[in-house]
Amino acid sequence: MKAIVLAGGKGTRLAPYTTILPKPLMPIGNMPILEVLLRQMKRAGVNHVVLTVGHLASLLQAYFKDGSQWDLDLIYSSEQKPLGTAGPIASVQGLDETFLVTNGDVLTTLNMKKLIAFHKQKGGIATIAAHRREVKIDLGVIHWGDNGRVKGYIEKPVYDYTVSMGIYVFEPRVLEYIPVGEYLDFPDLILKLIDNGEMVNGYPFNGYWMDLGRPDDYMQANNDFEKMKHQFLPEDD
């Protein structure tokens, strides 16, 4: 089983930390967030990992090396220019079987083995790990009518959304939809698949998930990892 980890972004929302560290190297507990992901992938049956790198790539290579310390075959695919979130996949060689793709800054208790099994059972070209997220607006929200008239006013509303967790499973023929060397983000790829009649499935997950994009989320993730480490990495118990 192969996996691609997207680790080439600049992590601007976590600046100034990410001016000297690539976001996948940001520590969670006593290890980088990407190490947590690699350990989880190994547990799920992944043996080969490709890191797509760009920003501060040499630091990632210095720490993770060839992956042998986690019994993984780890190689690097370098972006010469920004290719978006989906674009780098087209440059990865040897994607001839079902493969996993994940962002390099996700902290979750998702069982990746179950996600992969769900994908194979459904038989689609792609599966998106999905999570329910409440978004609280700490302001009064105005609903506009015509000609500047106010037709509604809601104080501090809470909205429910189902969001992508940044973890996907794909079949190899998805590469037919990703031009080599061109910029492409995942939302555009998924819409392209749907427009072409391909089956795209969602895998609902109600457990823990945190994207480490913002400083507040990063601090919360650190606190949660210390309390719940056995749930993220049960093999360490």
Side-chain angles (χ1 to χ4, degrees), residues 214-232:
R214 302 180 304 175
D216 288 351
D217 293 335
Y218 172 65
M219 296 301 295
Q220 183 64 52
N222 260 289
N223 293 333
D224 296 338
F225 185 79
E226 291 297 328
K227 297 174 185 175
M228 304 166 53
K229 185 175 180 180
H230 67 285
Q231 295 183 45
F232 296 108

Side-chain angles (χ1 to χ4, degrees), residues 159-195:
Y159 298 101
D160 285 323
Y161 296 97
T162 301
V163 300
S164 167
M165 294 171 59
I167 303 173
Y168 310 82
V169 186
F170 290 111
E171 290 304 306
R173 58 191 182 84
V174 76
L175 296 171
E176 299 171 13
Y177 298 93
I178 308 175
V180 177
E182 294 186 18
Y183 189 100
L184 183 68
D185 281 327
F186 275 120
D188 299 314
L189 172 60
I190 297 301
L191 292 175
K192 186 187 292 189
L193 296 176
I194 294 169
D195 289 344

Side-chain angles (χ1 to χ4, degrees), residues 45-63:
V46 171
N47 298 304
H48 305 279
V49 178
V50 178
L51 292 190
T52 65
V53 296
H55 178 61
L56 300 174
S58 60
L59 295 180
L60 289 166
Q61 292 171 311
Y63 185 88

Side-chain angles (χ1 to χ4, degrees), residues 148-164:
R149 294 184 64 179
V150 175
K151 67 175 184 179
Y153 189 106
I154 305 175
E155 182 67 18
K156 298 181 179 178
V158 177
Y159 298 101
D160 285 323
Y161 296 97
T162 301
V163 300
S164 167

Side-chain angles (χ1 to χ4, degrees), residues 8 13 16 27 32 69 95 103 110 117 120 129 139 167 177 184 219:
R13 291 181 298 162
Q69 59 267 54
L95 296 176
N103 292 343
L110 173 73
K120 292 183 175 180
L139 301 166
I167 303 173
Y177 298 93
L184 183 68
M219 296 301 295

